[in-house]
């Protein structure tokens, strides 16, 4: 995946209750950046204006353009947009090579090394260069972020359109992500909402679905 993209979105407030829509532009810009980066990686492009160097249309292989488009989109989605279950629930572990202590963040490991060991830290560029795709935490994070941003965009669109049924469907997907990522309070609240809609207050559930009195 491409690295070093600066979005320069500064309108997100630290208190979400002041402006619940403040992050919408950021999410939209971020997901567009991820989609473009995924497409560039898939087609072997270093810059957006470059021509594809791989996975181009070949009449002998793809037979027709509609099949090529469908196959290409499927491959891009499977490769860059759909995280595996272990990637959603995985917590990054950074181990010290000297004392085998584990830290959840790279910064925590760096502070530990500076405080307890005398050898020099490996340069970030070297770290990135030696990472394989299988162990590339940034690549795994991007896949999780992409699917969550797409869900967020769909959720925001359903909210703007007043589509209560679509919101309920979106909550079902979000419930799985919240549970897999260890967000138990979010999981409980969504599960309670779904239980109210489908079982507990089903005769009046349309009020919850359509936010009506």
């Amino acid at each position: 995946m491409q690295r070093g993209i600066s979005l320069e979105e500064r309108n997100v407030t630290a208190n979400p209750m002041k402006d619940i829509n403040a992050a919408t532009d950021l999410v939209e810009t971020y997901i567009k950046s991820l989609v473009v980066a995924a497409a560039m990686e898939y087609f072997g492009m270093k810059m957006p204006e470059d021509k594809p160097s791989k996975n181009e249309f070949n009449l002998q292989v793809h037979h027709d353009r509609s099949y090529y488009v469908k196959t290409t989109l499927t491959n891009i989605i499977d490769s860059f947009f759909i995280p595996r279950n272990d990637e959603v629930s995985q917590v990054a572990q950074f181990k010290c090579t000297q004392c085998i202590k584990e830290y959840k963040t790279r910064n925590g490991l760096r502070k530990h090394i500076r405080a307890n060991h005398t050898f020099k830290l490996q340069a970030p560029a070297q770290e990135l260069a030696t990472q394989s795709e299988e162990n590339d935490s940034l690549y795994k994070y991007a896949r999780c972020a992409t699917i969550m941003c797409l869900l967020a965009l769909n959720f925001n669109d359903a909210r703007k359109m007043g589509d209560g049924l679509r919101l309920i469907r979106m909550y079902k997907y979000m419930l799985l992500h919240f549970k897999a990522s260890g967000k138990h309070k979010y999981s409980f609240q969504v599960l309670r909402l779904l239980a109210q809609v489908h079982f507990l207050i089903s005769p009046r559930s349309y009020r919850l679905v359509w936010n009506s009195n």
Side-chain angles (χ1 to χ4, degrees), residues 73-85:
L73 291 177
T74 300
N75 291 338
I76 292 177
I77 291 173
D78 289 343
S79 300
F80 300 101
F81 294 176
I82 307 298
R84 299 192 303 267
N85 290 337

Side-chain angles (χ1 to χ4, degrees), residues 189-212:
Q189 293 299 333
V190 173
L191 182 61
R192 186 173 69 168
L193 173 63
L194 295 176
Q196 289 175 336
V197 170
H198 293 292
F199 302 104
L200 301 180
I201 56 173
S202 54
R204 294 176 286 118
S205 63
Y206 69 90
R207 296 182 180 179
L208 281 176
V209 175
W210 300 107
N211 194 26
S212 61

Side-chain angles (χ1 to χ4, degrees), residues 118 160 204:
T118 57
K160 291 178 181 178
R204 294 176 286 118

Side-chain angles (χ1 to χ4, degrees), residues 27-43:
V27 171
E28 184 174 349
T29 304
Y30 184 49
I31 184 58
K32 288 180 179 178
S33 301
L34 290 176
V35 171
V36 170
M40 291 173 60
E41 181 76 14
Y42 182 80
F43 290 111

